[in-house]
Amino acid sequence: FWLNYMAQQGYVVFTLDNRGSANRGFEFESIIHRQVGEKEMADQMAGVAYLKSLDYVDPDRIGVDGWSYGGFLTISLMLRNPGVFKVGCAGGPVIDWKWYEVMYGERYMDTPLQNPEGYETAKVLNYVDQFEGKLLILHGTNDPVVMWQNSLIFLDECINKGKQVDYFVYPGAAHNTRGKARGHMFEKITGYFNDFLK
């Protein structure tokens, strides 16, 4: 419903199922094995190139939003493609894959001992010095899937590198916000885009 609402407010809303998305076949989904973020970002950037080719899209006002894995991609896209995205909102983002839940993380990345290069390349902290734009990070304090320390270490690295980001926590919230917190979250993200992208 939120995407429909944003479109009604005059935003061009674009979603792209990049490689690695589920239910598209083994080859499509498994291409990200041991290298999360790489193929997905390439696909998303192809989508950005398409958007920029449209005469009704302002190439200087492109935003990106995602939650969980999408939060990881949001921050990765902003940091590794500086100047492309004016605004980003990242919820419950994976910052360092060695801290992500084993069931999902090791299914795609193997263990940190087996794939140290893949983990290092995917670590968002390595690219903080390239950050440009406006970024809002949201996180639930009781997130058992993407532990709270993920976004906290990102904040610490932003402080170390002199980068300004915005941050909002949902006290007691798990990985997905529910009830009043969910409505508050969508209002917060909408306001952020309205303030810095519109």
Side-chain angles (χ1 to χ4, degrees), residues 61-153:
R61 292 193 301 158
I62 295 178
V64 60
D65 169 68
W67 194 274
S68 192
Y69 197 100
F72 158 70
L73 281 180
T74 294
I75 296 175
S76 296
L77 282 163
M78 290 191 75
L79 270 56
R80 296 178 69 179
N81 301 278
V84 173
F85 301 94
K86 186 175 181 182
V87 177
C89 292
V94 180
I95 301 299
D96 190 332
W97 283 84
K98 71 183 179 187
W99 290 341
Y100 193 49
E101 64 178 6
V102 171
M103 178 191 77
Y104 189 91
E106 292 186 6
R107 177 183 357 158
Y108 287 101
M109 289 290 280
D110 292 329
T111 69
L113 288 176
Q114 294 167 321
N115 183 20
E117 290 178 3
Y119 277 81
E120 191 63 20
T121 300
K123 189 192 300 182
V124 175
L125 298 175
N126 292 330
Y127 311 100
V128 170
D129 58 344
Q130 300 175 169
F131 172 67
E132 295 178 16
K134 295 291 294 181
L135 175 63
L136 172 64
I137 300 173
L138 307 124
H139 215 135
T141 62
N142 285 346
D143 190 335
V145 178
V146 179
M147 303 298 288
W148 192 14
Q149 75 243 38
N150 273 272
S151 60
L152 292 177
I153 60 159

